[in-house]
Amino acid sequence: MPLWVELLIRVAGVLVAFLTLPLLVGQAEHKVMAHMQGRLGPMYAGAFHGWAQLVADGIKFVQKEDVTPREADRPVFRLAPAVALVPYLLVLLVIPLGPGDLVGQPLDVGLFFVLAVVGIGVLAVLMSAWASANKYSLLGGLRGAAQLLGYELPLVLAAASVAMAAGTLSLSGIVEAWRPWWLLWQAPAMIVFFLAGLAEIRRPPFDMPVADSELVFGFMTEYTGLRFAFFLLAEYVGIVVIAALTTVLFLGGWHGPFADAQLGWLWTLLKVFAVAFLIIWLRVSYPRLREDQLQRLCWLVLVPASLAQLVLTAAVRVAL
């Protein structure tokens, strides 16, 4: 097969995943929240179990007027939603779906690339906050910047622990080195990574940057129509990315109970959707953390726990 054809197939596969998996997660969130909270609205559109709710939301966003504030920095204001989406698309390129060639672009330093690109998301928050010329947006952006920059540290330290255990920065190499007993040994790092990942994508209970009871809708207050929809899409893509990274780094990726490599992609997707369900469940079940509680959790709990896990991993590696 010519190289350009193979490259085209890989890019097309990643684009399909980028456009479909977040929509499936969004549809699942509508239904899970409806069942957990006894909400009838998401079960109405389309009659049977509200199957058309996501379609209705899409039509609603398309019909809304695209408004830009008079005092806004228009180029930056309009570019921010795209900046929020692009890093997750790049991350999906290097996350392996299964063994062999089931990855958009295999990289020997895939984990380093992922952590570097995910950190770009803070730019979209700051761009939208500053360019909106709205005090509530600016307050939300400052909260978001403090949160994202703070939780980057435990996220990186937790990922470094499993990379040290596997002896490689390749995401495929980490999955290949994974063993079932890592579920116990690397459990603290997995919990830290998962919680820090939730904070990075600003999902409840880590949604202080968009606290509607205080800041209207934070850095997204002035956005309408499709641009607002792009921010929501970025949130759902973020769920897919955090769930996929948790699966690849800590849950064995394509490893399943049966030694059938051809079904590896299926095990990966099942684990990703299981973690995504957990993310949705946390949104429904736990109240929003205050700003001081959020920062205290980061610096007094997650950072020390991730450092302790890193020391443990180094000791085990030396002993083995």
Side-chain angles (χ1 to χ4, degrees):
M1 181 184 298
L3 179 61
W4 67 271
V5 175
E6 181 180 356
L7 180 62
L8 186 62
I9 293 174
R10 290 176 183 272
V11 172
V14 172
L15 284 176
V16 169
F18 178 76
L19 295 174
T20 57
L21 292 181
L23 297 182
L24 293 176
V25 171
Q27 182 77 348
E29 182 170 59
H30 279 100
K31 306 311 170 188
V32 170
M33 291 180 63
H35 282 294
M36 287 185 172
Q37 298 179 334
R39 301 166 66 181
L40 298 179
M43 296 297 181
Y44 182 78
F48 177 71
H49 209 68
W51 66 268
Q53 180 61 49
L54 205 63
V55 178
D57 287 342
I59 295 174
K60 176 186 70 176
F61 284 124
V62 170
Q63 291 179 333
K64 284 183 176 294
E65 183 181 3
D66 183 14
V67 178
T68 302
R70 181 186 304 169
E71 302 299 327
D73 187 335
R74 292 175 179 268
V76 178
F77 182 86
R78 293 172 177 173
L79 185 61
V83 175
L85 277 171
V86 169
Y88 295 128
L89 174 60
L90 296 177
V91 169
L92 288 177
L93 280 170
V94 300
I95 295 179
L97 184 61
D101 295 331
L102 286 179
V103 58
Q105 178 59 52
L107 293 178
D108 292 336
V109 290
L111 181 58
F112 177 81
F113 175 82
V114 165
L115 296 176
V117 171
V118 166
I120 298 176
V122 67
L123 293 179
V125 175
L126 291 174
M127 288 170 63
S128 59
W130 182 260
S132 294
N134 180 299
K135 61 182 179 181
Y136 295 110
S137 298
L138 183 58
L139 287 173
L142 294 177
R143 284 184 181 183
Q147 177 174 317
L148 296 179
L149 293 176
Y151 278 85
E152 276 286 327
L153 182 57
L155 185 80
V156 172
L157 291 175
S161 174
V162 72
M164 183 184 298
T168 178
L169 289 173
S170 167
L171 295 177
S172 297
I174 291 174
V175 177
E176 291 171 357
W178 183 87
R179 296 295 180 268
W181 66 280
W182 285 21
L183 291 173
L184 296 177
W185 176 38
Q186 295 294 325
M190 178 177 65
I191 295 172
V192 170
F193 184 89
F194 178 73
L195 294 178
L198 285 183
E200 286 290 307
I201 60 176
R202 301 169 298 281
R203 287 284 298 185
F206 303 97
D207 57 337
M208 279 302 291
V210 291
D212 51 347
S213 60
E214 302 174 19
L215 303 177
V216 188
F217 214 63
F219 61 91
M220 294 184 285
T221 297
E222 296 291 353
Y223 284 89
T224 59
L226 284 178
R227 289 193 174 88
F228 181 76
F230 287 158
F231 271 117
L232 293 185
L233 179 61
E235 180 179 333
Y236 288 127
V237 181
I239 294 176
V240 173
V241 167
I242 294 301
L245 289 175
T246 304
T247 296
V248 168
L249 296 177
F250 300 99
L251 299 179
W254 59 76
H255 292 293
F258 308 107
D260 188 354
Q262 294 182 349
L263 293 178
W265 62 271
L266 179 60
W267 293 118
T268 300
L269 289 178
L270 288 176
K271 293 175 184 178
V272 168
F273 281 108
V275 177
F277 172 82
L278 180 59
I279 294 174
I280 297 170
W281 176 74
L282 286 174
R283 172 180 181 175
V284 177
S285 304
Y286 285 90
R288 179 185 298 125
L289 294 176
R290 296 196 314 265
E291 185 67 21
D292 61 314
Q293 294 172 331
L294 189 145
Q295 295 296 338
R296 189 179 297 114
L297 175 64
C298 174
W299 296 105
L300 299 183
V301 179
L302 297 187
V303 171
S306 58
L307 286 173
Q309 177 65 40
L310 203 60
V311 172
L312 174 62
T313 302
V316 172
R317 286 286 295 177
V318 171
L320 296 178

